[in-house]
């Protein structure tokens, strides 16, 4: 028999859902406690799916909230769901994917995706066939709901969908999606393009087999009246430029003209997506050569002129002017130059022809050009500056402002409010590639101005968007790398100003290290069953913990007390990868300075490992180990005496070694001096 709710239990759940929407903190706390109690009962999840899919008389926010609570339960407890409960939830999702409410359809799609990421794509064989079949429904709601779910699955499981584990369903799905590029509904067209786009960078074979059809279909939608469709077309062309430029070269003149038009699209999100094209274009050596042909360059410049002179400029970054800067050796010349005093926002395209300068020098020259163009009085109005750097020796693109930050340092302090307004605005507008550059700019700013950033006004501007991005990214998302590096610099600069944000950041870093170590252990024991971990996650997490320890100082003690970080450091200190050991020694040194009472009980275990790493063949590892020993010696004083013999001979050998780097010499010298002082007592 099909499961049916108890009426009293159903009313209790509905009452709880209503209470959970209350702004009262005490009520919210009581709801959370009640939810934890109810999660002890497996069929509680049946009530949640029942409210989401069956109680159509209830208001949509309550129904959607029920689904989102269920989604969270799936993420945490799905492995404990009885088979009957899991089956009921799956059936309800598929039976109601065409709910009349867009909010409910989207919630069900999120729930389906969450279940599928728990390993259920392999054990839910009917999911993909049923969703694909429902695309043929004449009921718009069923078609759109199914496409919404498929898009989320494609985003979260793109590699799995192109694997033998599922018998390569993309062989059926890709041609199916391409059919819907011509659908009468713009929402469906947009879903179809977005689904296919997930498989461009990975070069899925099913897409490569249909690449010409895909490109032709994109061209057919180039002038679509729907902005979301145009945005997805631009996104597809940018990614194709990275992976299948050979298929685009015959159409490049038309594509360049199209992207110039879309860079001024009435919809700013479309225009920003189109701007990604120029960044990617600058990274393509074959296209750099192509642009050296005068006829094409002249055509592009003519198009730039035409659009710059038109009255239909809507995109803020190129509202007033497009500059083309040619840097040839030391010479900077400007083409298409219009009045510099009218500029408030601009985009600069930079082509480097026959330049022998290193990329960093070119970036520095660009920074000087920016100062010359904008001038001190207009500096606060700078809101967008994108440099596309391309040399014949190396490709290097960077937010040129980051280079200016390194040069100006504390001279930027009077402008911090304006700078932060600009950077925070960019969070809402920048796409993937430029977000990475934005993280670099923020991290460099924090390094450059240091504690001057620790002002309530600046913290309130900067931290919310950073924490929002932090919460959006999954633990396995490699976009965490630049964000963790950025936060490390920010935490160090903000010092005690980072306290309101420190606990979740600290806990997640500890979790990342712990998960990585566990995966490494499983891989070492069963390499045929488990994948090797990506240790970069562990390295950047350790570095951010160092930033927290350095920035928070003694305040980090309470976080260390509630975690097993000292045990994790000891494991990381013995890792086979030098970069992991390097970061673990840095963290050990910072914790020694910040809260030595937690380090002291571990000294007998830690110092022999530190002594083994006093090997100048690995300069950075050796340097951090030496520095950590020195910090421990300062804290230990004469109590360090029993351990001096473990490290002294190696330290003397390092200082007598020819060509030892200056920083390592300094740290080694301080360490030896401390050791002899201790020994003499």
């Amino acid at each position: 028999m099909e499961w049916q709710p108890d009426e009293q239990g159903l009313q209790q759940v509905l009452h709880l859902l209503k209470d959970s929407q209350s702004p009262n903190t005490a009520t919210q706390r009581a709801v959370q406690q009640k939810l934890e109690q109810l999660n002890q009962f497996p069929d509680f999840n049946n009530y949640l799916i029942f409210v989401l899919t069956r109680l159509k008389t209830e208001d949509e926010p309550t129904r959607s909230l029920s689904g989102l609570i269920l989604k969270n339960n799936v993420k945490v407890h799905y492995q404990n769901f009885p088979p009957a409960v899991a089956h009921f939830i799956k059936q309800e999702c598929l039976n109601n994917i065409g709910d009349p409410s867009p909010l409910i359809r989207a919630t069900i799609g999120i729930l389906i995706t969450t279940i599928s990421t728990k390993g259920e794509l392999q054990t839910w064989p009917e999911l993909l066939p049923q969703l694909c079949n429902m695309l043929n429904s004449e009921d718009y709601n069923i078609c759109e709901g199914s496409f919404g779910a498929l898009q989320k699955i494609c985003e979260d499981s793109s590699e799995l969908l192109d694997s033998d584990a599922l018998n390569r369903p993309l062989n059926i799905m890709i041609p199916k999606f391409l059919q819907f590029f011509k659908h009468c509904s713009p929402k469906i067209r947009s879903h179809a393009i977005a689904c296919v786009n997930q498989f461009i960078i990975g070069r899925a074979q099913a897409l490569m087999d249909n690449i010409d059809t895909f490109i032709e279909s994109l061209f057919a939608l180039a002038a679509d009246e729907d902005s979301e469709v145009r945005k997805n077309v631009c996104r597809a062309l940018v990614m194709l430029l990275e992976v299948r430029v050979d298929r685009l070269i015959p159409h490049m003149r038309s594509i360049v003209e199209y992207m110039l038009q879309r860079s001024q699209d009435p919809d700013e999100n479309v225009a920003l997506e189109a701007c990604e094209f120029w960044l990617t274009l600058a990274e393509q050596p074959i296209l750099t050569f192509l642009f050296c042909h005068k006829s094409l360059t002249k055509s592009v410049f003519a198009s730039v002129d035409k659009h710059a002179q038109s009255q239909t400029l809507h995109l803020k970054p190129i509202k007033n002017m497009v500059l083309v800067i040619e840097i040839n050796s030391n010479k900077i010349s400007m083409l298409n130059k219009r009045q510099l005093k009218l500029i408030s926002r601009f985009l600069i395209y930079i082509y480097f022809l026959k330049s022998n300068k290193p990329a960093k020098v070119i970036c520095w020259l660009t920074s000087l050009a920016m100062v010359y163009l904008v001038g001190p009085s207009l500096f606060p109005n700078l809101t967008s500056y994108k440099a596309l750097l391309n040399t014949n020796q190396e490709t290097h693109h960077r937010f040129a402002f980051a280079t200016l930050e390194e040069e100006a340092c504390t001279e930027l302090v009077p402008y911090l409010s304006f700078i932060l307004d600009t950077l925070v605005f960019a969070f809402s507008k920048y796409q993937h590639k430029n977000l990475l550059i934005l993280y670099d700019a923020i991290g460099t700013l924090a390094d450059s101005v240091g504690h001057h950033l620790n002002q309530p006004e600046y913290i309130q501007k900067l931290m919310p968007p950073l924490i929002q991005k932090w919460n959006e990214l999954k633990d396995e998302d490699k976009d965490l790398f630049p964000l963790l590096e950025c936060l490390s610099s920010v935490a160090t600069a903000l010092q005690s100003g980072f306290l309101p944000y420190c606990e979740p950041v600290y806990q997640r870093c500890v979790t990342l290290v712990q998960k990585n170590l566990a995966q490494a252990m499983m891989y070492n024991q069963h390499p045929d069953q488990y994948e090797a971990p990506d240790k970069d996650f562990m390295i950047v997490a350790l570095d951010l913990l160092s930033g927290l320890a350095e920035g928070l100082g003694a305040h980090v003690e309470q976080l260390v007390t509630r975690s097993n970080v000292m045990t994790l450091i000891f494991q990381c200190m013995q890792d086979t990868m030098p970069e992991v050991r390097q970061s673990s020694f840095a963290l050990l040194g910072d914790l020694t300075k910040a809260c030595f009472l937690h380090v002291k009980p571990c000294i007998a275990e830690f110092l022999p490992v530190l002594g083994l790493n006093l090997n100048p063949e690995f300069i950075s590892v050796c340097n951090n180990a030496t520095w950590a020993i020195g910090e421990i010696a300062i804290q230990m004083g004469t109590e360090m005496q029993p351990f001096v013999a473990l490290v002294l001979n190696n330290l003397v050998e390092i200082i007598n070694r020819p060509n030892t780097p200056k920083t390592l010499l300094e740290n080694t010298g301080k360490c030896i001096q401390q050791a002899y002082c201790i020994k003499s007592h």
Side-chain angles (χ1 to χ4, degrees), residues 354-620:
K354 301 178 182 177
S355 174
N356 295 319
K357 295 290 182 184
K360 188 169 179 68
V361 174
I362 292 171
C363 196
W364 176 71
L365 286 171
T366 307
S367 298
L368 293 181
M370 183 188 76
V371 175
Y372 166 74
L373 286 170
V374 181
S377 62
L378 291 179
F379 185 86
N381 292 323
L382 179 65
T383 60
S384 181
Y385 185 87
K386 183 192 292 183
L388 309 186
L389 305 175
N390 189 17
T391 72
N392 61 343
Q393 293 181 329
E394 58 183 323
T395 300
H396 179 92
H397 57 270
R398 235 194 127 181
F399 201 21
F401 190 67
T403 303
L404 184 65
E405 291 169 341
E406 290 175 344
E407 299 297 326
C409 294
T410 54
E411 291 180 35
L412 294 175
V413 171
Y415 303 108
L416 271 176
S417 183
F418 297 109
I419 294 169
L420 290 172
D421 285 340
T422 298
L423 296 176
V424 169
F425 174 78
F427 268 109
S428 64
K429 300 300 178 184
Y430 275 20
Q431 307 301 313
H432 176 260
K433 277 191 174 182
N434 284 338
L435 272 178
L436 307 186
I437 299 170
L438 180 59
Y439 294 146
D440 178 42
I442 293 171
T444 306
L445 178 68
D447 292 336
S448 300
V449 302
H451 68 276
H452 295 286
L453 203 58
N454 186 11
Q455 297 292 332
E457 174 198 354
Y458 303 153
I459 295 170
Q460 288 167 14
K461 288 181 179 183
L462 181 60
M463 288 310 300
L466 282 175
I467 294 299
Q468 181 182 343
K469 293 296 180 187
W470 169 267
N471 290 331
E472 286 174 1
L473 294 175
K474 299 177 181 177
D475 283 353
E476 60 273 12
D477 195 324
K478 291 189 177 181
D479 285 352
L480 267 179
F481 296 165
L483 179 54
L484 284 164
E485 290 171 354
C486 172
L487 281 172
S488 180
S489 296
V490 170
T492 303
L494 292 187
Q495 300 175 353
S496 60
F498 199 80
L499 274 173
Y501 312 94
C502 67
E503 185 153 4
V505 172
Y506 178 90
Q507 292 300 338
R508 189 173 187 183
C509 287
V510 170
T511 300
L512 283 169
V513 174
Q514 196 161 309
K515 286 169 65 174
N516 207 280
L517 288 170
Q519 189 178 347
M521 185 178 68
M522 291 187 293
Y523 172 74
N524 291 334
Q525 293 175 351
H526 306 285
D528 54 330
Q529 298 178 29
Y530 296 96
E531 291 185 2
D534 185 342
K535 292 187 179 180
D536 284 342
F537 284 102
M538 183 156 55
I539 293 166
V540 292
L542 289 167
D543 291 342
L544 179 46
L545 288 172
S546 287
L548 287 173
E550 184 179 352
L552 297 178
H555 293 293
V556 81
E557 192 272 332
Q558 57 186 324
L559 299 173
V560 175
T561 301
R562 299 195 296 268
S563 72
N564 62 337
V565 71
M566 300 313 300
T567 302
L568 298 178
I569 289 175
F570 185 60
Q571 292 176 259
C572 293
M573 287 168 61
Q574 301 170 80
D575 197 271
T576 55
M577 182 180 282
E579 292 82 0
V580 175
R581 301 199 302 276
Q582 174 187 333
S583 293
S584 67
F585 296 148
L587 176 55
L588 176 60
D590 283 319
L591 289 178
T592 298
K593 293 173 69 176
C595 54
F596 184 63
L597 71 133
H598 291 287
V599 177
K600 190 173 182 180
C602 310
I603 292 299
E605 292 177 307
F606 283 3
L607 275 170
V609 180
L610 286 166
L612 290 173
N613 281 273
L614 296 176
N615 177 7
E617 294 298 323
F618 300 99
I619 293 293
S620 297

Side-chain angles (χ1 to χ4, degrees), residues 16 116 162 179 227 252 332 340 346 356 418 558 604 610 680:
L16 188 68
S116 70
D162 192 33
Q179 294 173 13
S227 61
M252 192 53 65
I332 302 180
L340 292 173
F346 55 91
N356 295 319
F418 297 109
Q558 57 186 324
L610 286 166
S680 64

Side-chain angles (χ1 to χ4, degrees), residues 13-221:
V13 170
L14 285 172
H15 183 70
L16 188 68
L17 292 170
K18 300 288 186 184
D19 283 349
S20 67
Q21 298 174 59
S22 166
N24 184 276
T25 305
T27 304
Q28 287 283 351
R29 193 179 298 115
V31 166
Q32 200 60 41
Q33 291 174 351
K34 188 66 175 175
L35 284 173
E36 291 174 6
Q37 293 172 10
L38 289 173
N39 274 323
Q40 306 303 314
F41 303 94
D43 67 345
F44 171 54
N45 296 295
N46 283 0
Y47 283 90
L48 292 174
I49 191 67
F50 189 89
V51 172
L52 173 65
T53 59
R54 301 282 188 95
L55 290 192
K56 301 186 188 295
T57 55
E58 280 296 325
D59 61 90
E60 291 180 10
T62 298
R63 292 174 63 197
S64 177
L65 179 61
S66 183
L68 294 176
I69 292 173
L70 176 55
K71 179 209 73 170
N72 291 335
N73 286 349
V74 167
K75 287 180 73 172
V76 178
H77 304 297
Y78 189 74
Q79 69 276 9
N80 299 324
F81 284 17
V85 171
H87 178 75
F88 182 65
I89 293 170
K90 291 178 184 177
Q91 285 302 114
E92 286 297 297
C93 285
L94 286 175
N95 291 341
N96 293 275
I97 194 67
D99 192 279
S101 162
L103 176 62
I104 301 305
R105 290 199 301 272
T107 305
I108 292 174
I110 291 170
L111 184 53
I112 287 174
T113 310
T114 307
I115 294 172
S116 70
T117 58
K118 304 301 290 186
E120 287 297 294
L121 275 180
Q122 293 95 321
T123 56
W124 194 359
E126 68 272 23
L127 173 63
L128 294 176
Q130 284 197 34
L131 288 176
C132 286
N133 286 336
M134 285 191 284
L135 296 180
N136 299 322
S137 173
E138 294 183 2
D139 184 327
Y140 169 81
N141 293 334
I142 293 176
C143 180
E144 195 280 326
S146 300
F147 242 133
L150 283 167
Q151 182 178 334
K152 294 179 181 71
I153 292 171
C154 291
E155 290 171 358
D156 289 348
S157 307
S158 57
E159 292 184 10
L160 185 58
L161 291 171
D162 192 33
S163 69
D164 291 328
L166 297 178
N167 296 320
R168 300 195 177 273
L170 285 189
N171 292 336
I172 296 170
M173 293 167 68
I174 293 291
K176 184 88 172 178
F177 295 155
L178 291 173
Q179 294 173 13
F180 285 86
F181 278 40
K182 299 177 182 178
H183 197 276
C184 61
S185 163
K187 182 77 170 176
I188 300 299
R189 295 197 298 274
S190 179
H191 276 317
I193 305 170
C195 283
V196 178
N197 282 358
Q198 300 303 319
F199 306 101
I200 297 176
I201 296 299
R203 301 171 187 257
Q205 189 57 48
L207 178 56
M208 296 301 106
D209 291 343
N210 292 274
I211 194 68
D212 291 329
T213 304
F214 177 43
I215 292 173
E216 289 169 11
S217 302
L218 289 174
F219 290 163
L221 293 174

